[in-house]
mmCIF file of all heavy atoms in Angstrom:
data_model
loop_
_atom_site.group_PDB
_atom_site.id
_atom_site.type_symbol
_atom_site.label_atom_id
_atom_site.label_comp_id
_atom_site.label_asym_id
_atom_site.label_seq_id
_atom_site.Cartn_x
_atom_site.Cartn_y
_atom_site.Cartn_z
ATOM 1 N N LYS A 13 -0.905 5.370 -17.064
ATOM 2 C CA LYS A 13 -2.317 5.547 -17.196
ATOM 3 C C LYS A 13 -2.805 6.969 -17.202
ATOM 4 O O LYS A 13 -4.018 7.218 -17.305
ATOM 5 C CB LYS A 13 -3.075 4.762 -16.118
ATOM 6 C CG LYS A 13 -2.705 3.255 -16.157
ATOM 7 C CD LYS A 13 -3.314 2.551 -14.980
ATOM 8 C CE LYS A 13 -2.880 1.137 -14.945
ATOM 9 N NZ LYS A 13 -3.232 0.470 -13.773
ATOM 10 N N GLY A 14 -1.928 7.900 -16.953
ATOM 11 C CA GLY A 14 -2.353 9.297 -16.957
ATOM 12 C C GLY A 14 -2.372 9.845 -15.540
ATOM 13 O O GLY A 14 -2.174 9.163 -14.574
ATOM 14 N N GLU A 15 -2.695 11.122 -15.470
ATOM 15 C CA GLU A 15 -2.590 11.802 -14.181
ATOM 16 C C GLU A 15 -3.469 11.258 -13.121
ATOM 17 O O GLU A 15 -3.149 11.206 -11.980
ATOM 18 C CB GLU A 15 -2.895 13.292 -14.381
ATOM 19 C CG GLU A 15 -1.734 13.993 -15.091
ATOM 20 C CD GLU A 15 -1.876 15.508 -15.022
ATOM 21 O OE1 GLU A 15 -2.524 15.999 -14.057
ATOM 22 O OE2 GLU A 15 -1.308 16.158 -15.856
ATOM 23 N N THR A 16 -4.731 10.864 -13.422
ATOM 24 C CA THR A 16 -5.650 10.444 -12.400
ATOM 25 C C THR A 16 -5.695 8.948 -12.240
ATOM 26 O O THR A 16 -6.579 8.466 -11.555
ATOM 27 C CB THR A 16 -7.036 10.979 -12.674
ATOM 28 O OG1 THR A 16 -7.505 10.503 -13.922
ATOM 29 C CG2 THR A 16 -7.132 12.469 -12.643
ATOM 30 N N ALA A 17 -4.759 8.242 -12.826
ATOM 31 C CA ALA A 17 -4.764 6.807 -12.658
ATOM 32 C C ALA A 17 -4.599 6.414 -11.183
ATOM 33 O O ALA A 17 -4.127 7.204 -10.440
ATOM 34 C CB ALA A 17 -3.535 6.212 -13.412
ATOM 35 N N GLY A 18 -5.033 5.356 -10.860
ATOM 36 C CA GLY A 18 -4.854 4.885 -9.476
ATOM 37 C C GLY A 18 -5.918 5.385 -8.510
ATOM 38 O O GLY A 18 -6.610 4.606 -7.946
ATOM 39 N N PHE A 19 -6.003 6.696 -8.375
ATOM 40 C CA PHE A 19 -7.034 7.159 -7.430
ATOM 41 C C PHE A 19 -8.203 7.814 -8.106
ATOM 42 O O PHE A 19 -9.248 8.074 -7.544
ATOM 43 C CB PHE A 19 -6.454 8.119 -6.357
ATOM 44 C CG PHE A 19 -6.018 9.448 -6.831
ATOM 45 C CD1 PHE A 19 -6.812 10.564 -6.638
ATOM 46 C CD2 PHE A 19 -4.763 9.653 -7.354
ATOM 47 C CE1 PHE A 19 -6.441 11.779 -7.071
ATOM 48 C CE2 PHE A 19 -4.325 10.847 -7.791
ATOM 49 C CZ PHE A 19 -5.174 11.941 -7.643
ATOM 50 N N MET A 20 -8.090 8.008 -9.406
ATOM 51 C CA MET A 20 -9.203 8.439 -10.288
ATOM 52 C C MET A 20 -10.056 9.525 -9.676
ATOM 53 O O MET A 20 -11.230 9.569 -9.933
ATOM 54 C CB MET A 20 -10.089 7.204 -10.702
ATOM 55 C CG MET A 20 -9.282 6.182 -11.434
ATOM 56 S SD MET A 20 -10.270 4.911 -12.092
ATOM 57 C CE MET A 20 -10.322 3.739 -10.819
ATOM 58 N N GLY A 21 -9.472 10.374 -8.883
ATOM 59 C CA GLY A 21 -10.220 11.557 -8.374
ATOM 60 C C GLY A 21 -11.251 11.183 -7.307
ATOM 61 O O GLY A 21 -11.923 12.080 -6.805
ATOM 62 N N ARG A 22 -11.382 9.925 -6.919
ATOM 63 C CA ARG A 22 -12.361 9.517 -5.930
ATOM 64 C C ARG A 22 -11.818 9.705 -4.497
ATOM 65 O O ARG A 22 -12.562 9.695 -3.584
ATOM 66 C CB ARG A 22 -12.745 8.090 -6.122
ATOM 67 C CG ARG A 22 -13.607 7.825 -7.354
ATOM 68 C CD ARG A 22 -13.940 6.426 -7.520
ATOM 69 N NE ARG A 22 -12.667 5.706 -7.797
ATOM 70 C CZ ARG A 22 -12.511 4.376 -7.712
ATOM 71 N NH1 ARG A 22 -13.515 3.663 -7.433
ATOM 72 N NH2 ARG A 22 -11.346 3.858 -7.995
ATOM 73 N N SER A 23 -10.522 9.799 -4.364
ATOM 74 C CA SER A 23 -9.977 9.972 -3.026
ATOM 75 C C SER A 23 -8.783 10.911 -3.111
ATOM 76 O O SER A 23 -8.306 11.253 -4.209
ATOM 77 C CB SER A 23 -9.526 8.643 -2.491
ATOM 78 O OG SER A 23 -8.547 8.049 -3.261
ATOM 79 N N GLU A 24 -8.318 11.329 -2.006
ATOM 80 C CA GLU A 24 -7.161 12.203 -1.937
ATOM 81 C C GLU A 24 -5.877 11.425 -2.288
ATOM 82 O O GLU A 24 -5.836 10.227 -2.126
ATOM 83 C CB GLU A 24 -7.015 12.807 -0.582
ATOM 84 C CG GLU A 24 -8.168 13.733 -0.179
ATOM 85 C CD GLU A 24 -8.028 14.279 1.223
ATOM 86 O OE1 GLU A 24 -6.849 14.416 1.702
ATOM 87 O OE2 GLU A 24 -9.017 14.639 1.789
ATOM 88 N N GLU A 25 -4.838 12.181 -2.663
ATOM 89 C CA GLU A 25 -3.638 11.564 -3.058
ATOM 90 C C GLU A 25 -3.011 10.759 -1.883
ATOM 91 O O GLU A 25 -2.522 9.631 -2.032
ATOM 92 C CB GLU A 25 -2.586 12.609 -3.492
ATOM 93 C CG GLU A 25 -3.008 13.240 -4.795
ATOM 94 C CD GLU A 25 -2.231 14.509 -5.118
ATOM 95 O OE1 GLU A 25 -1.509 15.003 -4.205
ATOM 96 O OE2 GLU A 25 -2.360 15.006 -6.194
ATOM 97 N N LEU A 26 -3.091 11.343 -0.658
ATOM 98 C CA LEU A 26 -2.539 10.641 0.497
ATOM 99 C C LEU A 26 -3.228 9.296 0.773
ATOM 100 O O LEU A 26 -2.631 8.309 1.073
ATOM 101 C CB LEU A 26 -2.619 11.544 1.770
ATOM 102 C CG LEU A 26 -2.120 10.907 3.074
ATOM 103 C CD1 LEU A 26 -0.639 10.509 2.925
ATOM 104 C CD2 LEU A 26 -2.328 11.834 4.225
ATOM 105 N N THR A 27 -4.590 9.280 0.604
ATOM 106 C CA THR A 27 -5.330 8.085 0.800
ATOM 107 C C THR A 27 -4.899 7.054 -0.221
ATOM 108 O O THR A 27 -4.748 5.898 0.088
ATOM 109 C CB THR A 27 -6.861 8.342 0.687
ATOM 110 O OG1 THR A 27 -7.188 9.383 1.598
ATOM 111 C CG2 THR A 27 -7.657 7.142 0.918
ATOM 112 N N TRP A 28 -4.734 7.425 -1.458
ATOM 113 C CA TRP A 28 -4.294 6.536 -2.534
ATOM 114 C C TRP A 28 -2.933 6.001 -2.209
ATOM 115 O O TRP A 28 -2.686 4.785 -2.315
ATOM 116 C CB TRP A 28 -4.301 7.308 -3.836
ATOM 117 C CG TRP A 28 -3.817 6.554 -5.026
ATOM 118 C CD1 TRP A 28 -4.246 5.323 -5.505
ATOM 119 C CD2 TRP A 28 -2.752 6.922 -5.933
ATOM 120 N NE1 TRP A 28 -3.597 4.946 -6.618
ATOM 121 C CE2 TRP A 28 -2.646 5.931 -6.928
ATOM 122 C CE3 TRP A 28 -1.958 8.094 -6.053
ATOM 123 C CZ2 TRP A 28 -1.738 6.051 -7.972
ATOM 124 C CZ3 TRP A 28 -1.088 8.151 -7.081
ATOM 125 C CH2 TRP A 28 -0.996 7.153 -8.055
ATOM 126 N N LEU A 29 -1.983 6.862 -1.766
ATOM 127 C CA LEU A 29 -0.658 6.395 -1.433
ATOM 128 C C LEU A 29 -0.654 5.425 -0.283
ATOM 129 O O LEU A 29 0.067 4.426 -0.246
ATOM 130 C CB LEU A 29 0.235 7.592 -1.142
ATOM 131 C CG LEU A 29 0.575 8.500 -2.348
ATOM 132 C CD1 LEU A 29 1.208 9.784 -1.908
ATOM 133 C CD2 LEU A 29 1.425 7.767 -3.344
ATOM 134 N N CYS A 30 -1.484 5.777 0.749
ATOM 135 C CA CYS A 30 -1.563 4.813 1.880
ATOM 136 C C CYS A 30 -2.140 3.480 1.509
ATOM 137 O O CYS A 30 -1.705 2.429 2.044
ATOM 138 C CB CYS A 30 -2.397 5.453 3.049
ATOM 139 S SG CYS A 30 -1.509 6.751 3.910
ATOM 140 N N ALA A 31 -3.071 3.455 0.591
ATOM 141 C CA ALA A 31 -3.640 2.187 0.114
ATOM 142 C C ALA A 31 -2.531 1.382 -0.627
ATOM 143 O O ALA A 31 -2.450 0.168 -0.408
ATOM 144 C CB ALA A 31 -4.826 2.410 -0.814
ATOM 145 N N ILE A 32 -1.724 2.060 -1.461
ATOM 146 C CA ILE A 32 -0.605 1.391 -2.095
ATOM 147 C C ILE A 32 0.355 0.847 -1.033
ATOM 148 O O ILE A 32 0.788 -0.320 -1.173
ATOM 149 C CB ILE A 32 0.131 2.322 -3.084
ATOM 150 C CG1 ILE A 32 -0.823 2.745 -4.237
ATOM 151 C CG2 ILE A 32 1.389 1.703 -3.557
ATOM 152 C CD1 ILE A 32 -0.258 3.896 -5.113
ATOM 153 N N ALA A 33 0.674 1.647 -0.039
ATOM 154 C CA ALA A 33 1.583 1.209 0.970
ATOM 155 C C ALA A 33 1.045 -0.004 1.760
ATOM 156 O O ALA A 33 1.803 -0.935 2.073
ATOM 157 C CB ALA A 33 1.919 2.409 1.941
ATOM 158 N N LYS A 34 -0.202 0.095 2.090
ATOM 159 C CA LYS A 34 -0.853 -1.058 2.806
ATOM 160 C C LYS A 34 -0.791 -2.304 2.011
ATOM 161 O O LYS A 34 -0.402 -3.429 2.534
ATOM 162 C CB LYS A 34 -2.308 -0.679 3.084
ATOM 163 C CG LYS A 34 -3.096 -1.775 3.707
ATOM 164 C CD LYS A 34 -4.539 -1.352 3.851
ATOM 165 C CE LYS A 34 -5.433 -2.548 3.678
ATOM 166 N NZ LYS A 34 -6.839 -2.201 3.603
ATOM 167 N N ASN A 35 -1.004 -2.253 0.719
ATOM 168 C CA ASN A 35 -0.944 -3.445 -0.154
ATOM 169 C C ASN A 35 0.497 -3.950 -0.299
ATOM 170 O O ASN A 35 0.761 -5.108 -0.298
ATOM 171 C CB ASN A 35 -1.543 -3.168 -1.519
ATOM 172 C CG ASN A 35 -3.040 -2.963 -1.477
ATOM 173 O OD1 ASN A 35 -3.731 -3.453 -0.569
ATOM 174 N ND2 ASN A 35 -3.584 -2.225 -2.389
ATOM 175 N N ARG A 36 1.427 -3.030 -0.383
ATOM 176 C CA ARG A 36 2.816 -3.382 -0.524
ATOM 177 C C ARG A 36 3.296 -4.030 0.813
ATOM 178 O O ARG A 36 4.038 -5.054 0.811
ATOM 179 C CB ARG A 36 3.662 -2.077 -0.779
ATOM 180 C CG ARG A 36 5.156 -2.293 -0.815
ATOM 181 C CD ARG A 36 5.598 -3.273 -1.910
ATOM 182 N NE ARG A 36 7.038 -3.409 -1.836
ATOM 183 C CZ ARG A 36 7.665 -4.321 -1.115
ATOM 184 N NH1 ARG A 36 6.995 -5.114 -0.318
ATOM 185 N NH2 ARG A 36 8.994 -4.372 -1.072
ATOM 186 N N PHE A 37 2.880 -3.535 1.967
ATOM 187 C CA PHE A 37 3.207 -4.178 3.226
ATOM 188 C C PHE A 37 2.598 -5.582 3.341
ATOM 189 O O PHE A 37 3.276 -6.493 3.783
ATOM 190 C CB PHE A 37 2.633 -3.269 4.398
ATOM 191 C CG PHE A 37 2.752 -3.936 5.746
ATOM 192 C CD1 PHE A 37 4.018 -4.051 6.365
ATOM 193 C CD2 PHE A 37 1.637 -4.363 6.420
ATOM 194 C CE1 PHE A 37 4.129 -4.653 7.608
ATOM 195 C CE2 PHE A 37 1.794 -4.992 7.691
ATOM 196 C CZ PHE A 37 3.014 -5.119 8.267
ATOM 197 N N ALA A 38 1.340 -5.744 2.898
ATOM 198 C CA ALA A 38 0.725 -7.070 2.916
ATOM 199 C C ALA A 38 1.493 -8.038 2.020
ATOM 200 O O ALA A 38 1.734 -9.194 2.399
ATOM 201 C CB ALA A 38 -0.721 -6.951 2.493
ATOM 202 N N ASP A 39 1.899 -7.532 0.874
ATOM 203 C CA ASP A 39 2.695 -8.345 -0.046
ATOM 204 C C ASP A 39 4.017 -8.833 0.636
ATOM 205 O O ASP A 39 4.402 -9.989 0.558
ATOM 206 C CB ASP A 39 3.022 -7.642 -1.335
ATOM 207 C CG ASP A 39 1.850 -7.369 -2.179
ATOM 208 O OD1 ASP A 39 0.781 -8.007 -2.004
ATOM 209 O OD2 ASP A 39 1.962 -6.515 -3.095
ATOM 210 N N GLU A 40 4.659 -7.853 1.284
ATOM 211 C CA GLU A 40 5.930 -8.120 1.972
ATOM 212 C C GLU A 40 5.703 -9.192 3.082
ATOM 213 O O GLU A 40 6.526 -10.105 3.262
ATOM 214 C CB GLU A 40 6.546 -6.867 2.550
ATOM 215 C CG GLU A 40 7.897 -7.084 3.185
ATOM 216 C CD GLU A 40 8.980 -7.525 2.200
ATOM 217 O OE1 GLU A 40 8.858 -7.274 1.000
ATOM 218 O OE2 GLU A 40 9.970 -8.102 2.691
ATOM 219 N N MET A 41 4.659 -9.061 3.879
ATOM 220 C CA MET A 41 4.433 -9.996 4.970
ATOM 221 C C MET A 41 4.100 -11.363 4.435
ATOM 222 O O MET A 41 4.485 -12.359 4.942
ATOM 223 C CB MET A 41 3.293 -9.485 5.895
ATOM 224 C CG MET A 41 3.662 -8.292 6.720
ATOM 225 S SD MET A 41 5.118 -8.468 7.690
ATOM 226 C CE MET A 41 6.381 -7.598 6.756
ATOM 227 N N ARG A 42 3.326 -11.437 3.314
ATOM 228 C CA ARG A 42 3.056 -12.722 2.695
ATOM 229 C C ARG A 42 4.344 -13.364 2.188
ATOM 230 O O ARG A 42 4.572 -14.543 2.342
ATOM 231 C CB ARG A 42 2.028 -12.568 1.516
ATOM 232 C CG ARG A 42 0.606 -12.541 2.000
ATOM 233 C CD ARG A 42 -0.332 -12.688 0.826
ATOM 234 N NE ARG A 42 -0.237 -11.560 -0.103
ATOM 235 C CZ ARG A 42 -0.935 -10.425 0.073
ATOM 236 N NH1 ARG A 42 -1.772 -10.279 1.112
ATOM 237 N NH2 ARG A 42 -0.851 -9.470 -0.821
ATOM 238 N N ARG A 43 5.206 -12.539 1.577
ATOM 239 C CA ARG A 43 6.465 -13.019 1.026
ATOM 240 C C ARG A 43 7.348 -13.566 2.183
ATOM 241 O O ARG A 43 7.966 -14.645 2.043
ATOM 242 C CB ARG A 43 7.199 -11.843 0.372
ATOM 243 C CG ARG A 43 8.468 -12.366 -0.370
ATOM 244 C CD ARG A 43 9.219 -11.221 -0.908
ATOM 245 N NE ARG A 43 9.918 -10.363 0.020
ATOM 246 C CZ ARG A 43 10.997 -10.659 0.758
ATOM 247 N NH1 ARG A 43 11.588 -11.853 0.553
ATOM 248 N NH2 ARG A 43 11.499 -9.837 1.595
ATOM 249 N N ARG A 44 7.322 -12.913 3.315
ATOM 250 C CA ARG A 44 8.111 -13.370 4.436
ATOM 251 C C ARG A 44 7.431 -14.529 5.217
ATOM 252 O O ARG A 44 8.102 -15.146 5.987
ATOM 253 C CB ARG A 44 8.378 -12.203 5.367
ATOM 254 C CG ARG A 44 9.267 -11.146 4.827
ATOM 255 C CD ARG A 44 9.467 -10.027 5.787
ATOM 256 N NE ARG A 44 10.352 -9.016 5.227
ATOM 257 C CZ ARG A 44 11.033 -8.158 5.909
ATOM 258 N NH1 ARG A 44 11.019 -8.216 7.224
ATOM 259 N NH2 ARG A 44 11.803 -7.284 5.299
ATOM 260 N N GLY A 45 6.134 -14.631 4.999
ATOM 261 C CA GLY A 45 5.409 -15.712 5.690
ATOM 262 C C GLY A 45 5.253 -15.499 7.176
ATOM 263 O O GLY A 45 5.116 -16.446 7.943
ATOM 264 N N ARG A 46 5.226 -14.252 7.582
ATOM 265 C CA ARG A 46 5.041 -14.001 9.015
ATOM 266 C C ARG A 46 4.498 -12.564 9.188
ATOM 267 O O ARG A 46 4.444 -11.830 8.263
ATOM 268 C CB ARG A 46 6.312 -14.085 9.790
ATOM 269 C CG ARG A 46 7.407 -13.169 9.342
ATOM 270 C CD ARG A 46 8.644 -13.275 10.192
ATOM 271 N NE ARG A 46 9.707 -12.393 9.644
ATOM 272 C CZ ARG A 46 9.791 -11.092 9.940
ATOM 273 N NH1 ARG A 46 8.878 -10.481 10.633
ATOM 274 N NH2 ARG A 46 10.782 -10.387 9.442
ATOM 275 N N GLN A 47 4.190 -12.206 10.449
ATOM 276 C CA GLN A 47 3.695 -10.888 10.721
ATOM 277 C C GLN A 47 4.857 -10.011 11.168
ATOM 278 O O GLN A 47 5.881 -10.516 11.581
ATOM 279 C CB GLN A 47 2.624 -10.935 11.814
ATOM 280 C CG GLN A 47 1.392 -11.615 11.363
ATOM 281 C CD GLN A 47 0.142 -11.094 12.123
ATOM 282 O OE1 GLN A 47 0.348 -10.380 13.033
ATOM 283 N NE2 GLN A 47 -0.960 -11.530 11.666
ATOM 284 N N ALA A 48 4.704 -8.774 11.017
ATOM 285 C CA ALA A 48 5.703 -7.801 11.455
ATOM 286 C C ALA A 48 5.985 -7.855 12.945
ATOM 287 O O ALA A 48 5.028 -7.807 13.725
ATOM 288 C CB ALA A 48 5.346 -6.328 11.052
ATOM 289 N N PRO A 49 7.234 -7.958 13.374
ATOM 290 C CA PRO A 49 7.515 -8.039 14.792
ATOM 291 C C PRO A 49 7.492 -6.664 15.472
ATOM 292 O O PRO A 49 7.669 -5.620 14.803
ATOM 293 C CB PRO A 49 8.930 -8.586 14.856
ATOM 294 C CG PRO A 49 9.576 -8.065 13.568
ATOM 295 C CD PRO A 49 8.433 -8.076 12.541
ATOM 296 N N ILE A 50 7.277 -6.715 16.768
ATOM 297 C CA ILE A 50 7.422 -5.472 17.550
ATOM 298 C C ILE A 50 8.558 -5.684 18.465
ATOM 299 O O ILE A 50 8.524 -6.583 19.309
ATOM 300 C CB ILE A 50 6.142 -5.156 18.356
ATOM 301 C CG1 ILE A 50 5.015 -4.802 17.409
ATOM 302 C CG2 ILE A 50 6.381 -4.012 19.363
ATOM 303 C CD1 ILE A 50 3.694 -4.464 18.141
ATOM 304 N N ASP A 51 9.578 -4.880 18.371
ATOM 305 C CA ASP A 51 10.718 -4.977 19.226
ATOM 306 C C ASP A 51 10.661 -3.982 20.340
ATOM 307 O O ASP A 51 10.787 -2.760 20.060
ATOM 308 C CB ASP A 51 12.066 -4.747 18.386
ATOM 309 C CG ASP A 51 13.287 -4.961 19.241
ATOM 310 O OD1 ASP A 51 13.226 -5.098 20.471
ATOM 311 O OD2 ASP A 51 14.356 -4.941 18.606
#
């Protein structure tokens, strides 16, 4: 989509990356059907 795809200049790159990571984590937890454990 080009250089500004995803965060479109509205937020910092780190914020954009953390949003992607948060969504990826949520996807993984849904896939596993449970919450992340704390050991």
